[in-house]
Coordinates of all heavy atoms in Angstrom, one line a residue:
G8 N 20.3 -4.6 -13.4 CA 19.6 -5.1 -14.6 C 18.2 -5.6 -14.2 O 17.3 -5.3 -15.0
A9 N 18.1 -6.3 -13.1 CA 16.7 -6.7 -12.7 C 15.9 -5.6 -12.4 O 14.6 -5.7 -12.7 CB 16.8 -7.8 -11.6
L10 N 16.4 -4.6 -11.7 CA 15.6 -3.4 -11.3 C 15.1 -2.7 -12.5 O 13.9 -2.4 -12.6 CB 16.5 -2.5 -10.5 CG 15.8 -1.2 -10.0 CD1 14.8 -1.6 -9.0 CD2 16.9 -0.3 -9.4
I11 N 16.0 -2.5 -13.5 CA 15.5 -1.7 -14.7 C 14.5 -2.6 -15.4 O 13.6 -2.0 -16.0 CB 16.7 -1.4 -15.6 CG1 17.5 -0.3 -14.9 CG2 16.3 -0.9 -17.0 CD1 18.9 0.0 -15.4
Q12 N 14.7 -3.9 -15.5 CA 13.8 -4.7 -16.3 C 12.4 -4.7 -15.6 O 11.4 -4.8 -16.3 CB 14.4 -6.1 -16.3 CG 13.6 -7.1 -17.0 CD 14.3 -8.5 -16.9 OE1 15.3 -8.7 -16.3 NE2 13.6 -9.5 -17.5
E13 N 12.3 -4.7 -14.3 CA 11.1 -4.9 -13.6 C 10.3 -3.5 -13.4 O 9.1 -3.6 -13.3 CB 11.4 -5.5 -12.2 CG 11.8 -6.9 -12.3 CD 10.9 -7.9 -12.8 OE1 9.7 -7.8 -12.6 OE2 11.4 -8.8 -13.6
V14 N 11.0 -2.4 -13.2 CA 10.2 -1.2 -12.9 C 10.2 -0.1 -13.9 O 9.7 1.0 -13.6 CB 10.8 -0.6 -11.5 CG1 10.8 -1.7 -10.5 CG2 12.3 -0.2 -11.7
W15 N 10.7 -0.3 -15.1 CA 10.7 0.9 -16.0 C 9.2 1.3 -16.3 O 9.0 2.6 -16.4 CB 11.4 0.5 -17.3 CG 10.7 -0.5 -18.2 CD1 10.8 -1.8 -18.2 CD2 9.8 -0.1 -19.3 NE1 10.1 -2.4 -19.1 CE2 9.4 -1.3 -19.8 CE3 9.4 1.0 -19.8 CZ2 8.5 -1.4 -20.9 CZ3 8.5 1.0 -20.8 CH2 8.0 -0.3 -21.3
M16 N 8.4 0.5 -16.5 CA 7.0 0.8 -16.8 C 6.3 1.6 -15.6 O 5.6 2.5 -15.8 CB 6.2 -0.4 -17.2 CG 4.8 0.0 -17.7 SD 4.8 1.2 -19.0 CE 4.3 0.2 -20.3
F17 N 6.6 1.1 -14.4 CA 6.1 1.7 -13.2 C 6.6 3.1 -13.1 O 5.8 4.0 -12.7 CB 6.5 0.9 -12.0 CG 5.9 1.4 -10.7 CD1 4.6 1.3 -10.4 CD2 6.8 2.0 -9.9 CE1 4.1 1.9 -9.2 CE2 6.3 2.6 -8.7 CZ 4.9 2.5 -8.3
C18 N 7.9 3.3 -13.4 CA 8.4 4.7 -13.3 C 7.7 5.6 -14.4 O 7.4 6.8 -14.0 CB 9.9 4.7 -13.6 SG 10.9 4.0 -12.3
C19 N 7.5 5.1 -15.5 CA 6.8 6.0 -16.5 C 5.3 6.3 -16.1 O 4.9 7.4 -16.2 CB 6.7 5.2 -17.8 SG 8.3 5.0 -18.6
F20 N 4.6 5.3 -15.5 CA 3.3 5.5 -14.9 C 3.3 6.6 -13.8 O 2.5 7.4 -13.7 CB 2.8 4.2 -14.5 CG 1.4 4.3 -13.9 CD1 0.3 4.5 -14.8 CD2 1.1 4.1 -12.6 CE1 -1.0 4.6 -14.3 CE2 -0.2 4.2 -12.1 CZ -1.3 4.5 -12.9
C21 N 4.3 6.6 -13.0 CA 4.4 7.5 -11.8 C 4.6 8.9 -12.3 O 4.0 9.8 -11.8 CB 5.5 7.1 -10.9 SG 5.1 5.6 -9.8
V22 N 5.5 9.0 -13.2 CA 5.7 10.4 -13.8 C 4.4 10.9 -14.5 O 4.1 12.1 -14.2 CB 6.9 10.4 -14.8 CG1 6.9 11.7 -15.6 CG2 8.2 10.0 -14.1
F23 N 3.7 10.1 -15.2 CA 2.5 10.5 -15.9 C 1.4 10.9 -14.8 O 0.8 11.9 -14.9 CB 1.9 9.3 -16.7 CG 0.6 9.6 -17.2 CD1 0.4 10.5 -18.2 CD2 -0.5 9.0 -16.7 CE1 -0.8 10.8 -18.8 CE2 -1.9 9.2 -17.1 CZ -2.0 10.2 -18.2
I24 N 1.3 10.1 -13.8 CA 0.3 10.5 -12.7 C 0.7 11.7 -12.0 O -0.2 12.5 -11.7 CB 0.2 9.2 -11.7 CG1 -0.4 8.1 -12.4 CG2 -0.5 9.7 -10.5 CD1 -1.8 8.3 -12.8
L25 N 2.0 12.0 -11.7 CA 2.4 13.1 -11.1 C 2.1 14.4 -11.9 O 1.7 15.4 -11.4 CB 3.9 13.1 -10.7 CG 4.3 12.1 -9.5 CD1 5.8 12.1 -9.4 CD2 3.6 12.6 -8.2
V26 N 2.4 14.3 -13.2 CA 2.1 15.4 -14.1 C 0.7 15.6 -14.2 O 0.2 16.7 -14.2 CB 2.8 15.2 -15.4 CG1 2.4 16.2 -16.4 CG2 4.4 15.2 -15.3
Y27 N -0.1 14.5 -14.4 CA -1.5 14.7 -14.7 C -2.2 15.2 -13.5 O -3.2 16.1 -13.7 CB -2.1 13.2 -15.0 CG -3.5 13.3 -15.3 CD1 -4.1 13.8 -16.5 CD2 -4.6 12.7 -14.3 CE1 -5.4 13.8 -16.9 CE2 -5.8 12.8 -14.7 CZ -6.3 13.3 -15.8 OH -7.7 13.3 -16.1
T28 N -2.0 14.8 -12.3 CA -2.6 15.3 -11.1 C -2.1 16.6 -10.6 O -2.6 17.1 -9.7 CB -2.6 14.3 -10.0 OG1 -1.1 14.1 -9.7 CG2 -3.3 13.0 -10.4
K29 N -1.0 17.1 -11.3 CA -0.4 18.3 -10.8 C 0.1 18.3 -9.4 O 0.1 19.3 -8.6 CB -1.3 19.6 -11.1 CG -1.6 19.7 -12.5 CD -2.5 20.8 -12.7 CE -2.8 20.9 -14.2 NZ -4.1 21.5 -14.5
A30 N 0.5 17.1 -9.0 CA 1.0 16.8 -7.6 C 2.4 17.3 -7.3 O 2.8 17.5 -6.2 CB 0.9 15.4 -7.2
I31 N 3.1 17.6 -8.4 CA 4.5 18.1 -8.3 C 4.6 19.5 -8.7 O 4.0 20.0 -9.7 CB 5.4 17.2 -9.1 CG1 6.8 17.6 -8.7 CG2 5.1 17.3 -10.6 CD1 7.7 16.4 -8.9
Q32 N 5.3 20.4 -7.9 CA 5.6 21.7 -8.2 C 6.8 21.9 -9.1 O 7.7 21.0 -9.0 CB 5.5 22.6 -7.0 CG 4.2 22.5 -6.3 CD 4.4 22.6 -4.7 OE1 5.4 22.7 -4.2 NE2 3.2 22.6 -4.0

């Protein structure tokens, strides 16, 4: 519960950055 509460926005940001920079194949 604490993990989801604390890191959900960070996960969204990481996915956005990976897609935006085309760092993931």
Side-chain angles (χ1 to χ4, degrees):
L10 180 67
I11 292 171
Q12 181 181 0
E13 296 293 326
V14 300
W15 71 271
M16 183 58 104
F17 181 72
C18 288
C19 294
F20 181 72
C21 285
V22 169
F23 172 75
I24 291 297
L25 288 173
V26 170
Y27 181 74
T28 60
K29 299 177 184 155
I31 189 151
Q32 296 150 357

